[in-house]
């Protein structure tokens, strides 16, 4: 029977990495540990003899704005607790859908311990659709250097691997979302999760979207994402394309509904009829409501 | 009377066990420890159905820290348990019939070693085909799970000629309803501690709803006289029927005796899900016909109940369902045929409502559908068929006169939801559709004809000078202690410091029957009424002999016995002073039987409570999500003894029914549980329930009623599901026939893009 | 081989000594660093007001405050408690009942009582962070605490009072 033999609490990423290099598959990185313990209990994951806790590494639990000459972004440390994400003024200002998502993850006590990084690494977490529509980039530490990967790419690769249990030999350091400082007029943003009950429920369907309306009813740019259940969330790029620069008439929205439905079907042929219908319903509903609120 | 703190006045009392509960000081039985205590674990089957070829415990026994490993070979007495029929093996030896079946048990010095030892027990199986549904159990090709086949119990009730009459009805509704495998989900999982005493007796600290029954069953397994066993069974962290049957007790008892040391077993939630009882999933088909005036003329019912691998109370539950499938309606022609069948699924057993919840959902659904077809108001249709004060019971048996059905029918019309339901419900959002539904039920209490249903209690002055009662009933949260305190203070006009309540310990209490079937409040009320006159007469005689004050002038009160002298109230003696004179002649006991119908109708009830429920829902037709926003109850159960307890039972039972209707289902695939913990088995959270529910208690009983307060432990849980389903129908136009409600049935495309005012669902029925 | 002294190696088997305060009392206890806080409290320290039910953070019966904030002690490991101030139900209303506890008693907000310590701890944690929460905020703070007996009727009455 495997049990934890040691818990390591390195103070920087290099140390964390070298402990991991020593124990390889016999080790496992831990952030808040809420998901890990749940998986152990459910027998869904082996207990690693060496736990490498990332909680002593400095500056991994901060949210800050970073401005360079060519861009501005919001950096969210991967060890930021979900509860802290909800409270953070910068995230509330620039990433309301992400805040909304964090509020819908588990219950308050879990959010006091679980981290945004941990939620991302489950690959099905409720924060993911919201991060996808913010075009998030993940920064990993690979032992030598920091490397960036768009969340979308990470998830689309993940989709083809076993979701849980595949050990990821990189450390997620932070998540960057580009800041749109000069917010265009008529911007909209939405997030919705449907579960088996009103609160503290695994998601059946999660959707998120953001974009802006150009003149009158014409939609300008638009980013949409969907997930839920055990499916890895993804961007609805065909739907986004179909929407861009079009008038949101009722007829057109009806058409969009079938575009969404078909796109879901293409992305994942195992997706249930219910999920396809509800995802399409909700996205069209939110677009329609955004339009009405203009 | 609308129950709340104001209407209850000084009867709204802080529970006697309250302070210990809110401070965390109360030791539940699973919180207890003993020196040198060992930890027990049970090895469960690897398969839902298999032949056992061999069991090898050698390696497990050799593990350091393992003190004992036991199997069927180590049972001195009967290798079986089950309240009504002991066909569940303590340890399997030839076949396993469900994944919760026990094969061996281990006691070790730590929980971790016990767990490891389980992995070292080698069991060789020969897998057998499984029966994973009740229908499959009835196929001629189905393997036989028990020597008598796969039918545990059948019911067949018939009056009149349904077949002939249905042919002449102006309208007949035939529908099949399905209900889920609901889990009790007591927060405290099954557990206990088993302590071999120096004198050779065994003390069992384990929750149950009937300590004496556990003692009898354990005595049978251990092969010892019952008196050698002491069962301490309260307090309990929730039960709802689920802990009435034995669970950890056989294993803890056998292990502790084999080691000669205390052994603790406390199931993980996972083990509780796999091994524990559930509500019987039922498939109920009803064919009900009416004449043009809405008079129900004929009602045909078939019930198929999945009782799982073993009997426990599967038979009595089916009897109850058979009776309650007819309800408070007077129907001349009735056929009810029920079958409870064995499968390789988890064991189903006793659960609050006891088979009523399932059939009431179906029956009320029938009435609503008939009303729709006839264009008669569904509540009016009920009135036209409702029983009267002196009518016979559902199975044609004589019942104690009750007008409860009519009273709750009338009373629910005082709910604000009644008026609201007559108006057009406007919704601010077009995709939120609102509806209100009503339903009612009549629920039998007590175990029913043909089943021993004894009661009894003791009233005494104890040697510390307290008025003491002892009952073999249990406190699992329902508020028995509070009810007893209120009754005692009322009877003796004394203070809570003057009384002492003893429950939940077979060495200290008399047999009182089970704490089930909504019977306890009634039983303790009756017992105290019987005991009080004798007790007071003996007490006053003693005081008169001591003080010379005429017994007619004595009254119990605060701290002792009082009289009036020259218009002034004077305490003649304290209870303590009386106790010092000797207490032997101040103890009285009573034994009696729960009131039962004189007609020999198996399982038929004599006393009934009635309830009606109004529910308002909001259905989001984009997602199919149903939110229950208001629930009002009326309950006719006689006088309210303990208002806080009464209200709590109705509120709690109601939300349990809300879960049954909307989200709860212990899902099995190929006879294995998929929903193994509270992440996937979802009960309502505080955000899933209305912020308040009103409970209108109708206290009136027919003149001269000798039986007093009826219990309300179950009635709050039996009638909500059909009210929600009726509300959903009113909101969306869709009839639901299967619980929990499948959201997919309630979604529609783009309702807000259409111009119609009320949006129809695109499919025409819920089937 | 890496040099272990270079890192903050917290423990080997049982040699790790966890230091924290529990209900105001300093505790120093040799435990395995991945041992669950709920086991330390219930089994090692025999404080059984903290309950155990689902063991995956889904019921809230094991709720404790860590530095004043609610945490599920079944999901918290020993090393995560190092140097923390932990409060269990036994620390709440130690001398005089907390107003939350008094409300629970008066409103009939519990029956079997098994979820009650967790409920009270969650509410205490909320009030630590927000002195005058509104109804919605209190309700949300209990989203992770399941009660099977009351249907939340009495608990809603408590919320009504606390949000006044």
């Amino acid at each position: 029977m495997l049990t934890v033999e040691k818990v390591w609490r390195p103070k920087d990423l290099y140390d964390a990495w070298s402990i991991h290099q020593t124990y390889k598959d016999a080790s496992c990185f831990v952030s808040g540990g809420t998901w890990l313990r749940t998986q152990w209990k459910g027998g869904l994951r082996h207990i690693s003899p060496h736990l490498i806790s990332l909680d002593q590494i400095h500056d991994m639990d901060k949210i800050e704005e970073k401005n360079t000459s060519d861009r501005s972004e919001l950096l969210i440390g991967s060890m930021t607790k979900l509860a802290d994400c909800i409270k953070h003024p910068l995230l509330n200002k620039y990433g309301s859908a992400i805040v909304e998502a964090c509020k819908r993850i588990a219950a308050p006590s879990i959010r006091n311990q679980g981290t945004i990084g941990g939620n991302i690494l489950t690959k099905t977490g409720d924060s993911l659709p919201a991060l996808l529509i913010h075009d998030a980039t993940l920064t990993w530490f690979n032992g030598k250097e920091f490397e960036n990967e768009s969340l979308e790419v990470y998830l689309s690769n993940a989709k083809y691997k076993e979701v849980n249990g595949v050990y990821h030999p990189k450390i997620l350091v932070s998540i960057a979302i580009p800041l749109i400082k000069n917010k265009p007029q008529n911007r909209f943003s939405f997030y919705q999760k449907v579960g088996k009950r009103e609160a503290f429920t695994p998601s059946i369907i999660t959707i998120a979207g953001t974009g802006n309306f150009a003149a009158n009813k014409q939609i300008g740019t638009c980013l949409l994402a969907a997930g839920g259940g055990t499916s890895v969330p993804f961007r609805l790029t065909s739907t986004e394309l179909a929407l861009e620069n079009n008038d949101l008439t009722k007829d057109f929205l009806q058409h969009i509904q079938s575009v969404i439905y078909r796109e879901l079907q293409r992305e994942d042929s195992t997706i249930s009829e219910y999920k396809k219908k509800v995802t399409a319903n909700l996205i069209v509903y939110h677009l329609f409501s955004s339009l009405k609120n203009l | 009377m609308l129950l709340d703190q104001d209407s209850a006045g000084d009867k709204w009392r802080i529970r006697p066990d309250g302070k210990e509960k809110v401070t965390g000081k109360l030791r539940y039985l699973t919180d207890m420890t003993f020196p040198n205590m060992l930890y027990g674990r049970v090895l469960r089957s690897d398969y839902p159905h298999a032949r056992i070829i061999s069991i090898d415990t050698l390696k497990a026994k050799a593990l350091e820290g393992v003190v004992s490993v036991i199997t069927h070979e180590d049972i001195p007495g009967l290798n079986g348990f089950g309240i009504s029929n002991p066909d569940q093996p303590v340890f399997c030896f030839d076949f396993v019939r469900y994944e919760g079946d026990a094969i061996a048990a281990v006691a070790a010095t730590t929980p971790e070693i016990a767990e490891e030892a389980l992995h070292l027990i080698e069991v060789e199986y020969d897998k057998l085909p499984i029966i994973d549904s009740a229908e499959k159990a009835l196929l001629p090709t189905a393997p036989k799970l028990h020597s008598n086949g796969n039918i545990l119990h059948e019911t067949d009730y018939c009056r009149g000629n349904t077949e002939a009459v249905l042919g002449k009805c102006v309208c007949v509704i035939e529908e099949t309803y399905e209900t889920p495998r609901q889990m009790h989900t007591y927060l405290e999982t099954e557990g206990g501690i088993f302590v071999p005493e120096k004198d050779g007796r065994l003390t069992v600290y384990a929750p149950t709803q009937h300590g004496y029954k556990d003692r009898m069953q354990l005595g049978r397994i251990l092969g010892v006289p019952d008196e050698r066993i002491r069962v301490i069974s309260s307090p309990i962290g929730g039960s709802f029927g689920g802990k009435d049957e034995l669970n950890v007790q056989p294993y803890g008892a056998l292990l502790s005796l084999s080691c000669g040391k205390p052994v603790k077993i406390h199931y993980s939630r996972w083990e509780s899900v796999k091994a524990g009882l559930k509500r019987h999933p039922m498939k109920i088909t009803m064919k009900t016909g009416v004449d043009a005036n809405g008079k129900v003329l004929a009602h045909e019912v078939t019930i198929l109940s999945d009782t799982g691998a073993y009997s426990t109370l599967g038979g009595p539950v089916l009897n109850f369902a058979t009776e309650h499938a007819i309800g408070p309606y007077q129907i001349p022609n009735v056929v009810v045929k029920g079958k409870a069948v064995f499968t390789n699924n988890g064991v189903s057993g006793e659960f609050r409502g006891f088979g009523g919840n399932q059939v009431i959902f179906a029956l009320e659904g029938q009435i609503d559908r008939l009303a729709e077809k006839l264009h008669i108001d569904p509540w009016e249709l009920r009135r036209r068929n409702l029983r009267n004060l002196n009518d016979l019971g559902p199975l044609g048996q004589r019942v104690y006169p009750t007008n409860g059905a009519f009273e709750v029918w009338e009373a629910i019309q005082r709910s604000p939801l009644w008026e609201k339901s007559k108006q057009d419900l406007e919704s601010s959002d077009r995709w939120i559709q609102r509806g209100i539904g009503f339903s009612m039920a009549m629920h039998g209490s007590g175990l029913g004809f043909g089943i021993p249903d004894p009661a009894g209690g003791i009233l005494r002055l104890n040697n510390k000078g307290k008025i003491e009662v002892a009952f073999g009933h249990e406190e699992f949260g329902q508020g028995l202690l509070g009810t007893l305190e209120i009754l005692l203070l009322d009877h003796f006009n004394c203070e809570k410091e003057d009384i002492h309540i003893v429950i939940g310990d077979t060495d200290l209490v008399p047999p009182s029957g089970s704490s089930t079937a909504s019977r306890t409040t009634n039983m303790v009320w009756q017992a105290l009424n019987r005991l009080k006159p004798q007790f007071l007469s003996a007490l006053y005689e003693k005081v008169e002999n001591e003080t010379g004050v005429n017994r007619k002038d004595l009254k119990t009160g605060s701290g002792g016995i009082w009289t009036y002298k020259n218009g002034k109230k004077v305490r003649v003696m304290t209870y303590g002073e009386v106790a010092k004179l000797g207490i032997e002649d101040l103890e009285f006991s009573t034994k009696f039987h729960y009131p039962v119908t004189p007609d020999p109708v198996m399982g038929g009830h004599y006393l009934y409570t009635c309830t009606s429920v109004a529910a308002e829902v909001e259905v989001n037709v984009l997602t199919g999500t149903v939110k229950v926003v208001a629930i009002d109850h009326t309950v006719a159960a006689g006088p309210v003894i303990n208002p806080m307890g009464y209200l709590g039972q109705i509120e709690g039972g109601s939300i349990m029914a809300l879960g049954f209707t909307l989200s709860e289902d212990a899902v099995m695939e190929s006879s294995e549980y998929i929903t193994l913990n509270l992440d996937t088995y979802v009960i309502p959270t505080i955000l899933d329930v209305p912020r308040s529910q009103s409970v209108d208690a109708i206290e009136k009983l027919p003149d001269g009623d000798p039986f007093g307060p009826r219990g309300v432990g179950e009635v709050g849980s039996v009638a909500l599901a059909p009210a929600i389903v009726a509300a959903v129908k009113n909101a969306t136009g869709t009839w639901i026939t299967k619980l929990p409600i499948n959201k997919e049935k309630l979604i529609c495309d783009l309702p807000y893009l259409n111009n119609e005012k009320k949006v129809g669902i695109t499919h025409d029925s819920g089937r | 081989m890496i040099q272990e002294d270079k890192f903050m190696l917290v423990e080997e088997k049982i040699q790790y000594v966890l230091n924290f305060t529990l209900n105001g009392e300093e505790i120093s206890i040799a435990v395995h660093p991945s041992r669950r806080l709920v086991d330390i409290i219930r089994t090692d320290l025999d404080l059984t007001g903290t309950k155990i039910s689902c063991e995956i953070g889904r019921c809230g019966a094991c709720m404790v405050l860590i530095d004043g904030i609610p945490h599920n002690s079944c999901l918290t490991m020993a090393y995560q408690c190092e140097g923390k101030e932990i409060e269990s139900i036994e620390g709440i209303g130690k001398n005089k009942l907390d107003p939350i506890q008094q409300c629970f008693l008066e409103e009939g907000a519990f029956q079997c009582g098994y979820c009650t310590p967790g409920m009270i701890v969650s509410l205490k944690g909320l009030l630590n962070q927000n002195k005058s929460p509104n109804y919605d905020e209190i309700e949300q703070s209990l989203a992770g605490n399941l009660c099977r007996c009351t249907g939340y009727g009495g608990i809603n009455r408590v919320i009504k009072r606390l949000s006044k």
Side-chain angles (χ1 to χ4, degrees), chain B residues 622-637:
Chain B
L622 296 173
T623 63
T625 305
V626 177
K627 186 163 173 60
V628 180
V629 294
I631 308 172
D632 288 341
H633 304 264
T634 71
V635 180

Side-chain angles (χ1 to χ4, degrees), chain B residues 38-43 57 60-61 63 65-71 91 103-121 251-252 255-256 258-259 263-265:
Chain B
L38 302 172
Y39 294 87
R41 284 290 300 270
V42 180
L43 179 71
T57 59
K61 281 178 174 158
L63 183 69
V66 170
V67 180
S68 178
V69 183
I70 56 172
T71 64
F91 290 120
I103 294 162
V106 173
T109 50
T110 70
E112 292 78 15
I113 295 171
E115 155 109 33
E116 198 173 345
L118 291 186
H119 294 288
L120 296 174
I121 299 172
Y251 311 106
L255 283 171
S256 68
S258 85
C259 305
V263 172
K264 177 172 184 169
I265 303 184

Side-chain angles (χ1 to χ4, degrees), chain B residues 12 15 18 21-22 24 27-28 31 183-185 187 237-238 269 476-477 648-649 651-652 664 677 684 691, chain C residues 42 46 49 51 53-54 89 101 105-108 110-114 120 135-136 139 148-149 151-152 156-157:
Chain B
W12 187 273
R15 299 167 58 115
K21 285 184 173 175
V22 300
R27 288 254 173 180
Y28 292 78
D31 292 333
M183 181 163 77
H184 304 74
T185 326
L187 266 279
R269 180 62 61 180
F476 30 79
Q649 284 303 299
E651 289 171 335
E664 294 183 35
N677 206 328
R691 286 186 176 176
Chain C
R42 276 179 64 85
D46 198 30
K51 301 302 182 195
S53 183
C54 75
I89 185 68
Q101 289 166 318
L105 285 172
E106 289 169 10
E107 298 299 342
F110 60 92
Q111 289 175 27
C112 88
Y114 204 79
I120 289 169
Y135 200 108
D136 288 355
E139 196 179 43
R148 189 55 155 173
C149 294
Y152 308 97
N156 269 307
R157 291 190 283 276

Side-chain angles (χ1 to χ4, degrees), chain B residues 149-447:
Chain B
N150 293 339
I151 297 180
L152 163 65
H153 182 55
E154 284 184 89
T155 57
D156 191 350
Y157 174 75
C158 177
R159 67 171 174 247
N161 184 344
T162 52
E163 214 180 322
V165 175
L166 279 170
K168 295 177 200 150
C169 286
V170 299
C171 171
V172 175
I173 293 283
E174 183 171 3
E175 188 59 88
T176 298
Y177 302 83
E178 287 177 72
T179 61
R181 191 182 306 277
Q182 187 179 27
M183 181 163 77
H184 304 74
T185 326
Y186 21 74
L187 266 279
E188 181 195 34
T189 53
E190 301 89 334
I193 304 199
F194 302 83
V195 184
E197 306 290 353
K198 286 198 185 79
D199 60 6
R201 294 180 78 213
L202 174 73
T203 308
V204 171
Y205 299 84
T208 178
Q209 290 185 224
H210 193 175
Y212 275 95
K213 182 73 83 180
D214 278 21
R215 196 176 76 149
M216 182 280 283
Q217 290 214 66
L218 277 177
R220 205 161 60 179
I221 293 164
L222 300 176
V224 300
D226 292 3
E227 299 73 40
R228 307 285 292 162
I229 302 167
R230 175 182 186 181
V231 174
I232 294 174
S233 38
S234 285
I236 302 171
S239 183
F240 318 109
K243 292 173 184 165
D244 195 27
E245 185 58 272
L246 292 185
N247 42 73
V248 298
Q249 292 90 342
Y251 311 106
L254 289 163
L255 283 171
S256 68
L257 292 178
S258 85
C259 305
K261 283 186 176 178
V263 172
K264 177 172 184 169
I265 303 184
H266 191 181
Y267 286 172
S268 66
R269 180 62 61 180
W270 176 88
E271 191 166 8
S272 173
V273 170
K274 284 199 174 188
L277 302 178
K278 308 290 179 299
R279 189 185 295 287
H280 284 80
M282 289 188 189
K283 197 172 263 187
I284 301 147
T285 301
M286 288 186 175
K287 192 171 177 185
T288 314
V290 285
D291 67 15
N293 293 322
K295 181 77 192 125
V296 180
L297 299 180
H299 184 47
E300 284 182 355
V301 183
T302 59
I303 303 166
L304 184 57
S305 170
D306 178 356
T307 208
Y310 301 106
S311 298
T312 180
L313 290 175
V317 167
L318 182 67
N319 286 340
F320 197 94
T322 300
E323 180 182 9
H324 288 73
I326 305 162
Y329 306 113
Q330 290 293 302
I331 311 173
N333 303 283
V334 177
V335 172
V336 187
K337 287 178 189 289
K339 278 193 179 76
V341 300
F342 293 116
T343 66
N344 295 116
N345 293 335
V347 181
S348 304
E350 178 178 342
F351 194 161
R352 189 183 218 167
F354 211 72
N357 318 46
Q358 296 95 319
V359 293
I360 290 165
F361 160 58
L363 174 64
E364 291 296 284
Q366 288 293 97
I367 302 289
D368 282 338
R369 283 163 177 80
L370 286 166
E372 183 188 28
K373 277 270 163 73
L374 292 171
H375 303 289
I376 296 177
D377 176 273
W379 214 242
E380 168 59 19
L381 186 71
R382 283 173 173 81
R383 190 195 59 79
R384 293 182 193 178
N385 292 283
L386 224 48
R387 59 165 286 118
N388 290 311
L389 179 68
N390 293 309
D391 282 332
L392 294 175
L395 299 176
Q397 81 274 30
R398 275 172 283 172
V399 304
Y400 194 77
T402 168
N403 206 25
F406 182 74
E407 283 160 351
V408 298
W409 179 87
E410 208 174 27
I412 199 70
Q413 298 176 45
R414 295 197 290 267
S415 153
L417 295 180
W418 180 264
E419 273 312 308
K420 208 171 166 185
S421 73
K422 304 294 169 207
Q423 299 152 14
D424 225 2
L425 292 175
E426 288 297 327
S427 180
S428 54
D429 296 327
R430 303 211 50 199
W431 48 92
I432 302 289
Q433 300 189 350
R434 296 163 69 203
I436 293 173
F438 298 86
S439 69
M440 63 183 295
M442 179 165 106
H443 187 86
S445 48
L447 304 186

Side-chain angles (χ1 to χ4, degrees), chain A:
Chain A
M1 205 170 53
L2 278 176
T3 52
V4 176
E5 286 168 19
K6 287 183 185 175
V7 177
W8 304 81
R9 297 176 92 182
K11 288 221 156 64
D12 66 47
L13 285 167
Y14 292 91
D15 287 350
W17 189 258
S18 59
I19 300 166
H20 164 64
Q21 283 302 296
T22 306
Y23 297 107
K24 297 245 160 60
D25 286 356
S27 70
C28 168
F29 294 114
V30 194
S31 54
T34 55
W35 177 248
L36 191 66
R37 283 224 74 105
T38 306
Q39 289 208 303
W40 286 350
K41 194 76 203 170
L44 300 170
R45 187 192 186 106
H46 286 303
I47 295 177
S48 302
H50 293 267
L51 293 189
I52 308 166
S53 171
L54 303 176
D55 64 352
Q56 298 292 303
I57 299 176
H58 298 299
D59 296 335
M60 290 235 308
D61 59 352
K62 299 215 161 30
I63 298 178
E64 55 199 3
E65 207 175 316
K66 200 177 120 196
N67 294 304
T68 57
S69 53
D70 57 334
R71 62 183 172 166
S72 296
E73 49 187 23
L74 193 63
L75 283 182
I76 308 165
S78 65
M79 291 291 289
T80 310
K81 303 242 190 315
L82 293 162
D84 294 331
C85 291
I86 294 170
K87 281 183 267 182
H88 205 280
L90 284 174
L91 205 53
N92 276 279
K93 188 172 170 193
Y94 296 116
S96 59
I98 300 170
V99 171
E100 210 42 52
C102 290
K103 283 182 184 168
R104 300 282 284 144
I105 297 170
S109 53
I110 309 267
R111 300 195 291 261
N112 288 333
Q113 189 169 342
T115 62
I116 184 96
N119 191 259
I120 291 169
L121 292 176
T122 65
K123 301 187 183 80
T124 55
D126 292 327
S127 69
L128 291 166
L131 289 165
L132 276 173
I133 61 152
H134 278 279
D135 213 5
T137 301
L138 307 179
T139 299
W140 302 93
F141 179 69
N142 64 13
K144 293 192 202 92
E145 56 189 1
F146 295 91
E147 56 182 51
N148 293 333
E149 179 183 27
S150 91
L151 175 64
E152 200 187 339
V153 170
Y154 166 69
L155 288 178
S156 58
N157 289 337
K159 232 171 79 174
Y160 301 101
K161 293 180 196 156
E162 193 192 329
V163 172
N164 305 316
V166 169
Y167 177 64
H168 212 292
K170 287 191 281 190
I171 300 172
L172 178 62
V173 181
S174 61
I175 303 101
I177 58 169
L179 294 186
I180 303 161
K181 283 280 172 96
N182 303 317
K183 278 197 175 181
Q185 289 281 299
N186 302 331
R187 217 174 151 68
F188 65 86
S189 171
F190 56 82
Y191 175 91
Q192 191 171 347
K193 170 177 168 180
V194 180
K196 280 170 117 177
R197 64 183 172 203
E198 293 291 318
F200 201 8
T201 170
S203 147
I204 302 171
I205 290 146
T206 311
I207 56 122
T210 186
N212 69 291
F213 289 103
N216 270 338
K217 292 180 175 184
Q218 209 178 59
I219 203 155
T221 58
C222 174
L223 288 83
L224 300 170
T230 53
S231 55
V232 176
F234 49 86
R235 279 267 298 277
L236 295 167
T237 42
S238 307
T239 310
E240 291 169 5
L241 264 174
L243 278 164
E244 267 169 36
N245 304 320
N246 270 305
D247 283 351
L248 289 190
T249 61
K250 285 179 181 175
D251 285 347
F252 183 65
L253 279 171
Q254 206 123 27
H255 163 68
I256 283 299
Q257 182 156 37
S258 55
V259 173
I260 297 168
Y261 188 93
R262 284 198 304 272
E263 181 162 20
L264 292 168
Q265 180 74 37
R266 263 200 318 279
E267 278 287 334
D268 182 355
S269 57
T270 63
I271 196 166
S272 74
E273 198 62 19
Y274 173 73
K275 275 175 81 165
K276 281 183 283 199
K277 275 192 185 166
V278 173
T279 305
N281 269 354
L282 288 177
I283 290 176
V284 172
Y285 150 66
H286 280 289
L287 289 170
F288 184 71
S289 307
S290 306
L291 182 69
K292 275 207 321 203
N293 293 338
L294 273 184

